[in-house]
Amino acid sequence: MGNLFCCVQVDQSTVAIKERFGKFDEVLEPGCHCLPWFLGSQLAGHLSLRLQQLDVRCETKTKDNVFVNVVASIQYRALADKANDAFYKLSNTRSQIQAYVFDVIRASVPKLNLDDAFEQKNEIAKAVEDELEKAMSAYGYEIVQTLIVDIEPDEHVKRAMNEINAAARLRVAANEKAEAEKILQIKRAEGEAEAKYLSGLGIARQRQAIVDGLRDSVLGFSVNVPGTTAKDVMDMVLVTQYFDTMKEIGATSKSSAVFIPHGPGAVRDVATQIRDGLLQASQHNLS
C-alpha cells in the first residue's frame, strides 16, 4: 500500500538506501519518506545501525607447539554517515571480519608459549581490534570492542596441565607435612627432656629428704637413749626397713623382687658395707 502511494517507512536504528534508475541517490533516515517510483526511485535495501556481535573460533598453535582454539567475540556496527559504503562495498560483512580475525590470531598466538597466551589475552584482543578498525573503517563499519573470551587447548594438554598443578600442590603439601612432623618431634623431645629434668630434681629432693630424716632420727635417738651410738641406730633402721620391705613383698602376689641373701645376718653385712663405704668416702674427702 505504501509503494502504491509512493511512501516508505524506515524503522528506528535502521537506514534505507534509495536508488534512482539503479544508481545510489541518498540514505533515508528513520521515518516516513516519499519514494516516487514512477520517477525511477526505488528502495535498494535496509541497513541496521544496531550493535552486532560475531563470535569467531580459530584453531592455531602456540610457540611450544600446542594446538589451541581461540574464541574471539567481535562487536561492530555500521556508521550512519557511511551507510552507502557499508551497503555497497561489502557483500558479506561477517565473512570479511572473520578473515581478518583469523589472520591476526594466527600471526600473534604462534609467537607466544601456552602460558603466555593465557596471560596476554588482552594484547591479542588489542591487536585484532587495531587490525579490524584499520580495515573495516574503509567499508563504513566501526569496531566497538574485541574480546578473547576463551583459549581452549587440546583435552590431553589440559589434563597434563592439571596433573602438573596437582603434583606441585602435592609436593608443597608433603613439605608442609614434613615440617609439621619435624616441629612435633622437636617439641616432643623438648617435653621429654624437661620431664626427665624435673624427675631428676624430684629424685634428688627425695633422697635429700631421706638423708635429712635419717640424720635427724639418729641424732634424736642418740640424745634420748643414752649409751647408743650412731652405728646402733643405723643398724636398727636398716633392720626395720628390711622387715617393711619383706612385708610389702609378701603382701603382693605377683611381686618380681628377689633378695639374695635375705637372712637377718645379711642385713648386718649390708649395713657394714654401707657404713664402710661412707667412712672411706669421708676419709678420701679429708685427705
Side-chain angles (χ1 to χ4, degrees), residues 189-201:
E190 291 177 353
E192 291 178 356
E194 185 68 18
K196 290 180 180 179
Y197 172 74
L198 296 176
S199 177
L201 289 180

Side-chain angles (χ1 to χ4, degrees), residues 205 215 233 239 260 277:
R205 291 176 180 176
R215 184 183 65 248
V233 176
V239 171
I260 300 175

Side-chain angles (χ1 to χ4, degrees), residues 236-252:
M236 184 182 68
V237 170
L238 290 175
V239 171
T240 302
Q241 187 67 33
Y242 169 77
F243 283 114
D244 290 340
T245 303
M246 294 301 294
K247 180 179 178 181
E248 291 180 2
I249 294 174
T252 305

Side-chain angles (χ1 to χ4, degrees), residues 91-211:
S91 60
N92 192 329
T93 306
R94 300 175 72 87
S95 297
Q96 187 74 16
I97 293 176
Q98 189 177 38
Y100 279 107
V101 173
F102 280 175
D103 181 66
V104 176
I105 289 179
R106 287 173 177 168
S108 301
V109 175
K111 299 178 182 178
L112 304 172
N113 292 324
L114 181 59
D115 293 338
D116 296 335
F118 279 100
E119 294 176 359
Q120 300 182 25
K121 288 199 305 180
N122 293 336
E123 286 77 0
I124 299 173
K126 187 66 169 59
V128 173
E129 182 176 346
D130 292 343
E131 185 66 23
L132 284 176
E133 183 68 29
K134 183 173 60 177
M136 299 304 294
S137 61
Y139 300 111
Y141 282 92
E142 175 190 11
I143 304 301
V144 178
Q145 185 72 33
T146 301
L147 302 173
I148 301 298
V149 296
D150 198 7
I151 297 178
E152 300 177 355
D154 183 78
E155 189 64 31
H156 297 290
V157 176
K158 288 196 290 186
R159 189 180 300 113
M161 292 174 65
N162 291 334
E163 290 176 356
I164 292 173
N165 195 336
R169 292 181 181 275
L170 288 176
R171 184 168 61 251
V172 173
N175 290 335
E176 294 295 333
K177 183 179 180 181
E179 190 67 23
E181 291 179 353
K182 173 184 175 182
I183 295 174
L184 186 61
Q185 290 179 0
I186 292 175
K187 293 299 181 182
R188 186 182 295 115
E190 291 177 353
E192 291 178 356
E194 185 68 18
K196 290 180 180 179
Y197 172 74
L198 296 176
S199 177
L201 289 180
I203 294 174
R205 291 176 180 176
Q206 181 187 20
R207 291 177 178 175
Q208 183 63 40
I210 292 173
V211 171

